Amino acid sequence: MERAGPGTSRRRFLKGAALAALPYALLPDTRADAQPRSADYPPAEWQPATTSNYTASDRPDSYPLDYVVIHVTQETYADTLAIFQNPKKQVSAHYVVRSADGHVTQCVREADVAWHAGNWDYNTRSIGIEHEGWVDRPEYFTDALYEQSAKLTAAICAKYGITKDRAHIIGHYEVPGTDHTDPGPNWDWTRYIRLVDLA
């Protein structure tokens, strides 16, 4: 039974608390496993490389951005992220694209110099994109991987005025002085450049 008189009853207090919480209850649930998003490419998840594996910079003020370098990890997606977070590895790329669904993860800010090309000059002037898979296993180059990577590359090209052609979107094997062969003969360059143009 409610007591008459001034003051706030327990029932009124609970009603008020329920009404105050209502707007929050209508908001979408925040998932416990939600990952932070990339500041440079909003669709990407942010999983930073250790600061021991890249050089802090302020590109494009410090260095012009002229290239996108396409890589294949020769590792799984999860192992690639672990390598970039291991300070002993001395390697990183700006982005990693997962094979199964094209999920994009950013590991190094575009303004910073990732250590991906094996050539300091090209590192300073490029964005490196790793793709989960192996050069001799074309089944890793899924439709989702091509499509999501092409959207990422198109966004990078648009942002920095990089021409969307094979002179500026290059394979790791085309970097001077490299001993790498990725993305390898199974990478469909014609398809990829067409997707970049359409994105």
Side-chain angles (χ1 to χ4, degrees), residues 70-123:
I70 302 300
H71 301 267
V72 172
T73 61
Q74 300 295 109
E75 295 285 350
T76 65
Y77 166 84
D79 285 350
T80 301
L81 295 180
I83 288 167
F84 292 171
Q85 293 167 353
N86 181 341
K88 295 178 181 176
K89 295 297 186 178
Q90 303 284 292
V91 67
S92 63
H94 295 91
Y95 294 95
V96 181
V97 183
R98 190 164 56 204
S99 172
D101 57 3
H103 179 78
V104 178
T105 298
Q106 184 173 11
C107 302
V108 176
R109 299 279 185 217
E110 292 172 4
D112 295 329
V113 180
W115 301 345
H116 62 96
N119 174 314
W120 177 248
D121 182 49
Y122 274 71
N123 279 344

Side-chain angles (χ1 to χ4, degrees), residues 123-146:
N123 279 344
T124 63
R125 298 189 294 132
S126 65
I127 301 289
I129 305 175
E130 287 280 2
H131 298 82
E132 180 185 23
W134 285 262
V135 296
D136 58 350
R137 294 171 68 182
E139 65 271 19
Y140 274 88
F141 304 152
T142 62
D143 292 343
L145 178 137
Y146 275 119

Side-chain angles (χ1 to χ4, degrees), residues 31-83:
R31 292 176 39 205
D33 63 345
Q35 297 295 329
R37 306 313 290 170
S38 157
D40 293 323
Y41 184 65
E45 176 184 338
W46 173 243
Q47 288 285 336
T50 179
T51 56
S52 301
N53 289 348
Y54 66 89
T55 301
S57 190
D58 63 345
R59 303 182 313 163
D61 292 337
S62 55
Y63 302 98
L65 283 163
D66 302 318
Y67 301 102
V68 175
V69 180
I70 302 300
H71 301 267
V72 172
T73 61
Q74 300 295 109
E75 295 285 350
T76 65
Y77 166 84
D79 285 350
T80 301
L81 295 180
I83 288 167

